[in-house]
Amino acid sequence: HRRQGVLRRLMGEVHADIDARGEPVAGLVASDAGIYERFGYGAATRRRYVEIDRRRFHIADERVPAEHGVQLVDPMEHLDLLAAIYDRYRRARVGEVSRTARWIETRLREIEGTVRAAVHADGYALWTITQDWNAFDVRHGLHLQDLVACTPQAHVALWQLVLSHDL
């Protein structure tokens, strides 16, 4: 049924029903939230936990050089820049709320450990590193706290940096 307008018609009927009943909010639970952005829906969760084995990792987009335009910075010294980048990001996403420099600072202070940051002209990433020294298999971990990208190039460059970080 792809590319025949079935989903668009279905969503149109659902929204017409919601409007007719005077409902103030429409919520949707979906396994692939990205499909529904074009209908005005956005992600409603703040956190997602994903574990990536870097030995099995590969960026498919080879057009962007590794770490192109990315600079490591102290996030506490760049709060206004992070807030400005996030504001550009949120304006292109349905349902995103604003984050002021003060909000970002408060969030950074809540995170255990040293928060590290990388900034791209069109995005940023924030992470911490945990050390796990054991007898035979050292298993340090990088915990990505936030990755915000306004462009596909920033998205790829930041993921390349994060996933190639020497632990």
Side-chain angles (χ1 to χ4, degrees):
H1 297 95
R2 291 182 178 186
R3 306 282 181 233
Q4 296 179 21
V6 174
L7 179 60
R8 183 164 301 285
R9 288 193 306 275
L10 173 67
M11 294 304 291
E13 290 295 321
V14 168
H15 290 146
D17 180 58
I18 290 167
D19 290 343
R21 288 185 284 133
E23 298 290 345
V25 175
L28 175 68
V29 177
S31 60
D32 190 357
I35 294 171
Y36 299 94
E37 284 183 2
R38 63 186 160 143
F39 301 108
Y41 292 89
T45 183
R46 290 192 176 269
R47 289 192 172 91
R48 174 175 49 178
Y49 297 95
V50 177
E51 188 170 314
I52 299 172
D53 182 342
R54 293 185 326 162
R55 295 170 295 192
R56 305 177 88 185
F57 154 77
H58 174 71
I59 292 275
D61 191 343
E62 300 293 340
R63 296 171 293 173
V64 179
E67 304 169 17
H68 180 69
V70 177
Q71 178 182 5
L72 297 177
V73 299
D74 178 342
M76 290 301 219
E77 294 178 5
H78 293 82
L79 296 170
D80 289 333
L81 175 61
L82 299 178
I85 292 170
Y86 188 83
D87 193 56
R88 286 180 33 225
Y89 168 80
R90 78 159 181 91
R91 290 177 187 273
R93 301 279 185 289
V94 174
E96 287 293 345
V97 295
S98 61
R99 293 182 185 175
T100 63
R102 178 75 176 130
W103 186 96
I104 294 170
E105 178 183 12
T106 301
R107 174 69 183 115
L108 290 174
R109 292 187 189 285
E110 292 172 347
I111 298 170
E112 285 187 38
T114 301
V115 179
R116 299 156 195 245
V119 174
H120 182 280
D122 295 316
Y124 66 84
L126 304 170
W127 68 89
T128 58
I129 293 177
T130 55
Q131 295 184 2
D132 183 3
W133 296 98
N134 56 51
F136 302 104
D137 184 24
V138 176
R139 298 187 50 100
H140 300 324
L142 184 146
H143 303 274
L144 186 62
Q145 303 294 327
D146 208 0
L147 191 142
V148 172
C150 301
T151 65
Q153 294 80 13
H155 187 85
V156 171
L158 289 165
W159 271 111
Q160 283 178 328
L161 174 91
V162 168
L163 291 170
S164 65
H165 200 291
D166 185 8
L167 296 175

